[in-house]
Amino acid sequence: MKDIRQIINEALEKVKNADVSTLENIKVEYLGKSGVLTQILKSLFSYSIDDKKRIGSEANNAKSVIETEIENKKENLKKSLLDEKMRKEKLDNSKSFYFPFSNGSFHPVIQTIQDITAVFKSLGFAVAEGPEIETDWYNFEALNIPDNHPARDTQDTFYIEGMKALLRTHTSPGQIHVMEKHKPPIKVIVPGKVYRNEASDATHFSTFHQVEGLAVDENITFVDLKAVLSDFVHKFFGSDINIRFRPSHFQFTEPSAEVDMQCIFCKGKGCRLCKSSGWIEILGCGMVHPNVLKAVHYDSGKYTGYAFGLGVERIAMFKYGIDDIRLFYENDLRFLKQF
Ligand code: DAH
């Protein structure tokens, strides 16, 4: 008994003089797995029943006394540290000071979207946004991609469990939202983030960005589409850059095409960036399919339109000479600071 009282006194004395780091050591020394009091409790089996009760309850009592003191001391230390901090770090607003951090900047993908948007605005396009979580109707059905159609295989999709919803695989559903809300004439771009259930490599990532374009009115023809896209490329990359159209297939356009532009680095001669071909594919496009117009209750006998979908990362990679799409998403400051 005398020993236990002594232990308490000794411990409390130590606690009184402790600082934040020694406090933990004291806790271990008395209350830890092989601490002084724990040892006493462990050795009780060799005593008589009466002694066990007496010593056991004294030791447990000692434990809680010491523990409480340690907690109190901890609180006090915290409080006085804070007080001291408040005193020391008080700002003197009368002094001017040098701010040693550099300003942040826009992410290269965001910058590229802003640049693309500025060019299309100058060509008379409005800007709209659509949701990243879509229903099957907006992402597929309304775009003339019915259930079980093989075209669904080209856009492997993230479905949202327990809901009839998915992460949009392209910005094309933005076309449907715009047409549902507005009557022709329409001339709009829809920039945004899209998702594909894909393994990533140097040119693929499960999240990327597109800029969708749509124009609907009476008498819109493929010539309007060609003019707008070549204007865009000339304004964005330079008037000496040619583009070419290759026939292609998309469910929501007919006819459909893919557009290549001349490599800005070798001007079409062939280099590392264009993989020696002289050309870079930048977008898909075409004349809006009558079924898409019908899906939004437009008169497909009266109105025609064109649409296009541009890959933002592709354009950014090409513009800045970046050879791995994953660099955009690693948030390495050494990379980001270059923009
Ligand atoms: N949505 C297509 C994709 O993600 C791109 C696209 C192609 C958009 C043709 C269009 C278009 O609007 O007309 O692959």
Side-chain angles (χ1 to χ4, degrees):
M1 284 307 189
K2 210 172 155 199
D3 281 351
I4 291 182
R5 230 162 287 139
Q6 216 169 358
I7 289 169
I8 295 180
N9 288 339
E10 184 190 292
L12 295 189
E13 188 62 24
K14 281 187 189 168
V15 171
K16 210 165 96 189
N17 300 317
D19 60 21
V20 180
S21 61
T22 49
L23 207 52
E24 270 316 300
N25 298 340
I26 298 172
K27 196 169 178 180
V28 172
E29 184 183 344
Y30 289 93
L31 313 171
K33 259 193 210 144
S34 36
V36 182
L37 288 164
T38 320
Q39 289 302 332
I40 292 178
L41 288 166
K42 274 186 189 163
S43 64
L44 284 180
F45 63 89
S46 57
Y47 292 88
S48 69
I49 297 213
D50 275 354
D51 282 349
K52 256 188 214 164
K53 274 191 189 157
R54 218 162 27 83
I55 302 173
S57 97
E58 277 296 321
N60 276 323
N61 176 49
K63 263 182 112 167
S64 77
V65 169
I66 294 171
E67 196 157 16
T68 313
E69 270 313 292
I70 289 178
E71 286 310 311
N72 288 344
K73 180 74 182 182
K74 213 189 256 176
E75 280 307 307
N76 286 339
L77 281 174
K78 239 200 237 162
K79 198 174 160 296
S80 54
L81 275 178
L82 186 65
D83 286 348
E84 193 182 320
K85 216 175 160 193
M86 299 287 266
R87 227 183 12 253
K88 272 199 192 149
E89 296 180 5
K90 195 169 173 202
L91 273 186
D92 181 351
N93 292 330
S94 67
K95 280 187 181 162
S96 67
F97 59 94
Y98 170 64
F99 192 60
F101 302 106
S102 57
N103 287 334
S105 59
F106 283 111
H107 190 279
V109 168
I110 299 300
Q111 269 184 52
T112 306
I113 290 180
Q114 288 171 344
D115 294 345
I116 293 171
T117 302
V119 172
F120 279 111
K121 271 185 168 175
S122 78
L123 296 173
F125 284 79
V127 184
E129 269 182 27
E132 288 172 21
I133 296 176
E134 281 291 11
T135 59
D136 194 85
W137 165 258
Y138 285 100
N139 198 78
F140 294 121
E141 288 277 344
L143 291 163
N144 194 34
I145 313 173
D147 210 2
N148 296 320
H149 193 284
R152 291 214 177 191
D153 283 350
T154 61
Q155 303 199 353
D156 213 348
T157 314
F158 287 117
Y159 290 91
I160 294 167
E161 232 171 73
M163 277 202 267
K164 276 181 128 16
L166 49 86
L167 295 181
R168 68 177 173 194
T169 57
H170 49 180
T171 43
S172 302
Q175 293 184 29
I176 307 298
H177 287 290
V178 169
M179 289 192 283
E180 277 181 346
K181 278 190 217 101
H182 303 278
K183 289 191 163 47
I186 279 174
K187 204 173 170 189
V188 68
I189 57 166
V190 188
K193 203 179 272 176
V194 302
Y195 303 86
R196 303 263 171 105
N197 187 5
E198 284 187 330
S200 42
D201 60 24
T203 54
H204 296 87
F205 201 76
S206 55
T207 307
F208 56 102
H209 298 75
Q210 293 184 330
V211 174
E212 193 75 13
L214 174 73
V216 184
D217 202 351
E218 292 177 41
N219 303 318
I220 288 200
T221 70
F222 207 95
V223 174
D224 298 304
L225 172 62
K226 275 193 139 171
V228 150
L229 293 180
S230 59
D231 275 357
F232 164 72
V233 168
H234 291 157
K235 286 197 174 200
F236 196 84
F237 288 105
S239 52
D240 54 339
I241 302 296
N242 289 323
I243 59 173
R244 69 178 183 191
F245 286 69
R246 279 181 291 105
S248 185
H249 172 83
F250 299 102
Q251 277 295 112
F252 28 93
T253 44
E254 180 58 38
S256 303
E258 275 169 305
V259 172
D260 301 333
M261 58 177 269
Q262 274 179 320
C263 177
I264 50 174
F265 297 102
C266 65
K267 303 278 189 268
K269 282 196 218 67
C271 68
R272 187 181 63 88
L273 269 143
C274 59
K275 302 209 175 73
S276 312
S277 75
W279 295 92
I280 305 269
E281 185 197 320
I282 52 166
L283 59 88
C285 63
M287 299 305 291
V288 180
H289 196 289
N291 286 352
V292 176
L293 297 175
K294 280 175 201 153
V296 293
H297 310 295
Y298 276 12
D299 181 350
S300 63
K302 185 173 171 193
Y303 296 111
T304 53
Y306 62 74
F308 56 86
L310 234 137
V312 176
E313 277 79 353
R314 265 193 91 82
I315 294 218
M317 286 168 80
F318 187 50
K319 186 173 167 189
Y320 298 118
I322 297 163
D323 59 7
D324 195 321
I325 194 171
R326 290 168 290 197
L327 285 166
F328 288 128
Y329 309 106
E330 282 166 0
N331 289 331
D332 186 331
L333 283 180
R334 291 166 301 180
F335 171 76
L336 294 176
K337 272 190 174 158
Q338 296 175 51
F339 302 94

